[in-house]
Amino acid sequence: MIKKNNLKIKEDYLKKIQIYKKYNEAYFNKSNPLVDDNVYDNLKNEILILEKKYPFLKDKESPSLNVGFKPSKNFKKVKHKVPMLSLNNAFNREDLVNFEKKILNFLNLERSDLLEYSAEPKIDGISASLFYKKGNFIQGLSRGDGVEGEDITENLSTITDIPKILKGKNIPEEIDIRGEVFIQNTDFKKLNEKFANPRNAASGSLRQKDPEKTKKIPLKFIAYTFGFSKNLNISNQFQFLKMLKNWGFKVNNYNRLIKGIDNLIKNHSALEAKRKEIDFDIDGIVYKINDFSVQRRLGFVANAPRWAIAHKFSANKSISEIINIEIQVGRTGALTPVAKIKPVNIGGVLVSNATLHNEDEIKRKDIRIGDVVIIERAGDVIPHVISVDLKKRKKSSKKFDFPKNCPSCGSSTIKEFNKITKKFDAVRRCTNDGYDCEKIAIEKLKHFVSKEALNIEGLGKKIVENFWNLKLIRYPQDIFNLDFDKIKNIEGWGKLSVANLKFSIEEKKNISLSKFIYSIGIRHIGQENAKLISKTLKTSQNFFNLGKNNNFDELLNIDGIGDTQINSIKEFFLNKKNLLVLEKLKENLSIQNEKENSKNGILKEKTFMFTGKLEGISRAEAKSLVEKNSGKIISNVSQKLDFLIIGEKPTVKKVNHAKNLRIKIISQSEFLKMLDIKDF
């Protein structure tokens, strides 16, 4: 009887979804509303109420997951000349102090007053890249995945803030101007559109298939940086912002040049207080080292610059009640407790889940089912429980017993002993090796297709789960052998959407070695480690041979890869199912060999190692110099080492070992002479 009732409820729900979809398409894509606002809003609310009441109701077209209607036109994909990277976030003084400390250490500086920051409000809009040649606007791209974006030139051309021809002096031969597209709050209020917020309105408008419709939306653009440039003669960021204004761009009136953490925080507090007076949404302030030469010295780590950080505004908080506590099993087997809470609006976002981090955190805060709690959501960070209101604790509240077995596969769970901290980890993990645990397998698949890995458009987390439930995929290789005829018959899919998915999958069959290593989800191997390994191994065959020939010693000399990472890779290759996955992926993918960044660098094919304290330069920057000039850093004295560079108080054991192996030992000054650098 219950099943019959559920089927009836689902049938009614899906009918409402189809009508909602029809209204959206007519409104957003055809500019021809079929019903008035009240009818539309009532239908939307009915769907949301059903979803809250019956958790088994899910559909990708739901208003809880989508705003507006995705334009049907597929924009041409174009690679950015220089990747559009993301920024690391800071939320408090401690984060800023750590950020500056890393910069000082890298540059080997003792005084923070030598650092000058360009402090620029972070607009909550849509990033865009504008390419100019000889002062003429040639092409405009969306951020996309940071490596490639969509060609939205026609839509960007409708924005009056974007000059078609640059005016003034010192215009470079070529330049890629970057900035934010947004809608002012006053303009957003006047719009008779069904967007959740100004950011969604800007995003939807830029992806319209008809530029004439985009033209009707009051989009604005503020410029703030550049990616690629040719013949740009400028020395710092603040001068560049002034130059942008002279060329005809609008820049932020709240940009400031600041020294010192205390002054950054004062400016942050003052701007946060003015937030409501500003006619567009900002969610923090971006701090950039002002001097371009210092920026170049600092360089990048993973997908973010060392010389910039986003200082987010204060977290949004609210009060809710814990309905239940559930366990999520992650890709690496980590068991994460999640509080299911009564839905609450925090900063414009409806929150119904909040992480409890781990078993120890639940005990420390004495969190129980039925408790009234304070929920915090800071920036893009997952909402989490701050504290319990013990005064409102009910007698019926229940303590949560953390499972000793994996709720997915039933395997035992353990807390690993950390040899470095000499303590047991706070996180409890499933001992299953991977694909035999359903939840781990699903999370591995989500990771494989994620933005930072293969980045298969149209194959998001919800679709991966749906395809798993329909037994269409079990392993990564199954994605390349999907039954598209079967998918056509799944509700919500049609010929066009299936064709788009097929195209997206085919398009991603060419992959770099570093992305491949990252995508297969080896524990402790993030993007940066994957890059280090790919640079050393150079070819996919060398990577596959690690397991076949037990060649793990190849990884010992990689500076930045330690025992933890090597042991994790060994465990990965010991798993027979992982080996099968690798073999199948090898058949389906074209894995590109690692390309040399600078083939003609003066340190090409030479290996280096440092020992002792260097003068006027940090160890990190010295290593960076070697790599920029095509040299290679290794972490052990062996026959593979060409030069041992010694500073003050070098390790005697390393020096003696190098002498025995007849490795050339040079001083810091001799090393700098090799690079034609006189001083720092």
Side-chain angles (χ1 to χ4, degrees):
M1 187 68 180
I2 293 172
K3 284 186 178 180
K4 282 185 179 179
N5 285 341
N6 285 352
L7 286 171
K8 179 73 177 69
I9 290 162
K10 189 171 183 180
E11 187 181 332
D12 181 45
Y13 168 79
L14 291 173
K15 279 181 184 177
K16 291 181 188 295
I17 288 286
Q18 288 305 310
I19 296 167
Y20 177 76
K21 184 181 174 183
K22 188 178 176 182
Y23 289 170
N24 268 344
E25 185 172 12
Y27 191 91
F28 293 111
N29 256 19
K30 299 177 182 177
S31 296
N32 183 29
L34 297 177
V35 293
D36 62 31
D37 291 353
N38 288 334
V39 174
Y40 178 90
D41 290 339
N42 287 338
L43 176 65
K44 183 178 175 181
N45 288 333
E46 285 172 14
I47 293 169
L48 294 174
I49 289 166
L50 280 171
E51 287 179 350
K52 283 179 190 175
K53 193 173 180 181
Y54 305 105
F56 64 86
L57 295 177
K58 284 182 183 178
D59 191 272
K60 63 178 183 177
E61 301 293 344
S62 166
S64 63
L65 299 174
N66 297 284
V67 178
F69 189 83
K70 186 178 178 181
S72 58
K73 177 181 176 181
N74 291 313
F75 294 97
K76 179 183 165 189
K77 300 282 174 58
V78 179
K79 267 200 169 184
H80 296 291
K81 288 182 182 288
V82 172
M84 294 184 78
L85 303 179
S86 55
L87 292 172
N88 289 325
N89 291 329
F91 295 99
N92 50 45
R93 182 189 180 85
E94 186 184 356
D95 292 340
L96 292 180
V97 169
N98 288 336
F99 166 68
E100 188 170 80
K101 189 177 179 182
K102 286 176 183 177
I103 290 174
L104 292 171
N105 288 341
F106 189 92
L107 299 173
N108 203 33
L109 295 174
E110 292 181 3
R111 289 169 48 199
S112 62
D113 63 324
L114 296 172
L115 298 178
E116 195 171 41
Y117 298 97
S118 176
E120 306 163 25
K122 186 176 179 294
I123 302 168
D124 191 15
I126 305 299
S127 298
S129 170
L130 316 172
F131 179 61
Y132 287 84
K133 191 169 185 176
K134 293 181 179 178
N136 294 299
F137 178 43
I138 304 296
Q139 188 178 56
L141 306 178
S142 66
R143 184 184 184 280
D145 64 358
V147 176
E148 62 177 14
E150 293 177 319
D151 187 337
I152 51 172
T153 308
E154 290 184 54
N155 287 345
L156 287 169
S157 296
T158 67
I159 302 173
T160 55
D161 287 349
I162 295 176
K164 309 304 174 285
I165 300 172
L166 301 184
K167 59 185 180 182
K169 298 176 182 179
N170 302 318
I171 296 168
E173 191 176 327
E174 291 181 3
I175 191 162
D176 160 27
I177 303 289
R178 292 172 178 183
E180 209 78 1
V181 177
F182 62 98
I183 292 177
Q184 293 184 159
N185 292 324
T186 48
D187 288 332
F188 179 69
K189 287 174 184 175
K190 294 173 190 173
L191 288 175
N192 193 25
E193 303 284 350
K194 298 298 173 189
F195 294 109
N197 52 53
R199 189 182 188 279
N200 282 7
S203 176
S205 302
L206 282 178
R207 301 196 79 247
Q208 285 279 4
K209 59 183 178 181
D210 183 359
E212 287 302 312
K213 290 179 183 176
T214 305
K215 195 175 182 178
K216 294 174 183 176
I217 308 297
L219 296 173
K220 305 290 183 185
F221 182 82
I222 280 182
Y224 51 72
T225 192
F226 67 94
F228 169 82
S229 69
K230 194 174 180 181
N231 301 332
L232 176 65
N233 186 22
I234 193 112
S235 63
N236 65 60
Q237 172 67 10
F238 220 66
Q239 283 179 6
F240 178 69
L241 291 172
K242 288 178 182 176
M243 194 171 277
L244 282 171
K245 200 170 182 179
N246 293 336
W247 289 343
F249 288 100
K250 286 185 179 176
V251 295
N252 206 304
N253 294 328
Y254 293 94
N255 292 336
R256 299 288 183 268
L257 197 58
I258 299 172
K259 279 186 179 183
I261 298 294
D262 287 340
N263 292 326
L264 290 178
I265 291 171
K266 281 179 187 175
N267 180 61
H268 184 269
S269 299
L271 192 60
E272 186 168 17
K274 286 182 183 176
R275 258 175 108 180
K276 291 181 181 178
E277 299 171 24
I278 301 170
D279 198 19
F280 48 85
D281 290 339
I282 56 174
D283 57 4
I285 303 177
V286 175
Y287 306 136
K288 303 171 186 174
I289 291 291
N290 191 42
D291 192 313
F292 284 160
S293 64
V294 178
Q295 284 187 15
R296 285 190 289 271
R297 281 179 66 186
L298 288 165
F300 301 86
V301 56
N303 284 333
R306 281 193 185 93
W307 44 265
I309 197 165
H311 187 184
K312 293 298 187 86
F313 286 138
S314 300
N316 290 302
K317 297 178 184 177
S318 194
I319 296 169
S320 186
E321 184 181 328
I322 296 179
I323 301 166
N324 197 10
I325 295 175
E326 295 179 0
I327 296 293
Q328 289 182 352
V329 184
R331 171 176 60 87
T332 62
L335 271 60
T336 303
V338 176
K340 297 291 177 178
I341 62 172
K342 285 185 177 178
V344 60
N345 193 305
I346 307 178
V349 176
L350 193 66
V351 174
S352 55
N353 297 325
T355 182
L356 299 173
H357 299 295
N358 54 57
E359 184 177 5
D360 293 348
E361 190 79 349
I362 292 175
K363 289 177 181 176
R364 186 176 70 81
K365 293 177 180 175
D366 189 20
I367 298 169
R368 304 181 187 185
I369 297 167
D371 276 346
V372 173
V373 292
I374 296 172
I375 309 291
E376 180 180 80
R377 180 177 176 270
D380 298 326
V381 177
I382 299 167
H384 60 283
V385 173
I386 295 292
S387 60
V388 175
D389 188 342
L390 294 174
K391 291 177 182 177
K392 294 182 180 177
R393 174 166 282 169
K394 302 171 186 174
K395 288 183 180 179
S396 59
S397 68
K398 295 179 185 176
K399 281 191 174 183
F400 179 72
D401 294 321
F402 210 92
K404 297 297 183 283
N405 293 89
C406 175
S408 172
C409 65
S411 300
S412 59
T413 62
I414 59 166
K415 287 186 176 184
E416 295 175 349
F417 184 75
N418 190 313
K419 291 179 181 178
I420 298 170
T421 62
K422 307 295 182 187
K423 293 179 181 178
F424 283 95
D425 288 344
V427 175
R428 187 174 284 279
R429 295 181 187 277
C430 170
T431 53
N432 197 303
D433 285 321
Y435 289 101
D436 289 328
C437 176
E438 180 178 323
K439 293 298 181 184
I440 291 177
I442 292 171
E443 292 306 312
K444 278 181 173 286
L445 288 166
K446 288 178 185 177
H447 175 80
F448 185 74
V449 301
S450 67
K451 197 173 182 180
E452 293 78 17
L454 263 74
N455 190 28
I456 298 176
E457 193 172 327
L459 196 56
K461 293 179 180 180
K462 294 288 182 186
I463 293 172
V464 167
E465 287 179 3
N466 192 26
F467 283 4
W468 176 279
N469 293 332
L470 293 169
K471 298 183 180 178
L472 289 170
I473 54 174
R474 283 293 179 268
Y475 301 99
Q477 63 266 25
D478 296 337
I479 290 164
F480 304 101
N481 299 287
L482 281 168
D483 186 342
F484 291 105
D485 289 329
K486 192 172 181 180
I487 294 171
K488 281 177 190 174
N489 297 318
I490 299 172
E491 190 172 350
W493 289 84
K495 286 184 180 179
L496 182 61
S497 53
V498 167
N500 286 340
L501 178 60
K502 193 174 183 181
F503 174 78
S504 296
I505 292 170
E506 287 295 319
E507 194 181 32
K508 299 300 180 180
K509 282 187 176 181
N510 284 307
I511 186 171
S512 68
L513 177 58
S514 62
K515 275 207 169 189
F516 174 76
I517 294 170
Y518 173 73
S519 72
I520 56 178
I522 303 173
R523 191 178 166 201
H524 301 300
I525 305 300
Q527 289 173 277
E528 193 65 19
N529 285 337
K531 287 176 185 176
L532 291 173
I533 293 166
S534 65
K535 278 181 184 177
T536 299
L537 298 181
K538 291 186 172 57
T539 70
S540 58
Q541 194 55 51
N542 287 340
F543 177 72
F544 293 128
N545 286 342
L546 285 175
K548 287 181 181 177
N549 304 328
N550 202 25
N551 284 342
F552 300 107
D553 286 351
E554 289 283 319
L555 307 174
L556 289 172
N557 275 321
I558 303 176
D559 190 58
I561 299 292
D563 289 341
T564 301
Q565 289 79 19
I566 293 171
N567 289 334
S568 190
I569 293 167
K570 282 181 182 177
E571 286 178 20
F572 178 86
F573 277 98
L574 285 171
N575 185 295
K576 289 181 181 179
K577 284 197 175 175
N578 287 339
L579 295 178
L580 177 66
V581 168
L582 288 180
E583 283 301 315
K584 294 295 181 182
L585 287 177
K586 191 177 175 183
E587 293 171 14
N588 286 284
L589 294 172
S590 175
I591 305 167
Q592 307 303 311
N593 293 338
E594 184 64 32
K595 293 178 183 177
E596 296 290 340
N597 285 335
S598 178
K599 293 182 180 178
N600 300 316
I602 55 178
L603 304 182
K604 185 183 177 184
E605 295 178 357
K606 301 294 181 186
T607 57
F608 297 81
M609 184 179 174
F610 295 90
T611 180
K613 189 176 186 300
L614 302 177
E615 187 181 345
I617 182 174
S618 70
R619 182 76 63 85
E621 186 172 6
K623 289 177 179 179
S624 179
L625 280 171
V626 170
E627 289 166 353
K628 283 177 183 175
N629 287 279
S630 305
K632 184 181 174 184
I633 295 291
I634 63 176
S635 56
N636 290 293
V637 176
S638 69
Q639 293 283 8
K640 293 182 179 180
L641 181 63
D642 293 315
F643 296 94
L644 179 67
I645 302 160
I646 58 169
E648 186 185 340
K649 296 181 181 178
T651 304
V652 176
K653 188 178 178 182
K654 288 177 182 176
V655 174
N656 290 337
H657 193 187
K659 283 178 180 177
N660 291 335
L661 294 174
R662 295 185 179 180
I663 290 162
K664 193 164 185 180
I665 300 170
I666 62 174
S667 66
Q668 179 182 333
S669 58
E670 288 173 307
F671 165 63
L672 294 176
K673 277 180 187 175
M674 290 174 75
L675 298 173
D676 198 25
I677 296 173
K678 293 179 182 178
D679 198 6
F680 276 89

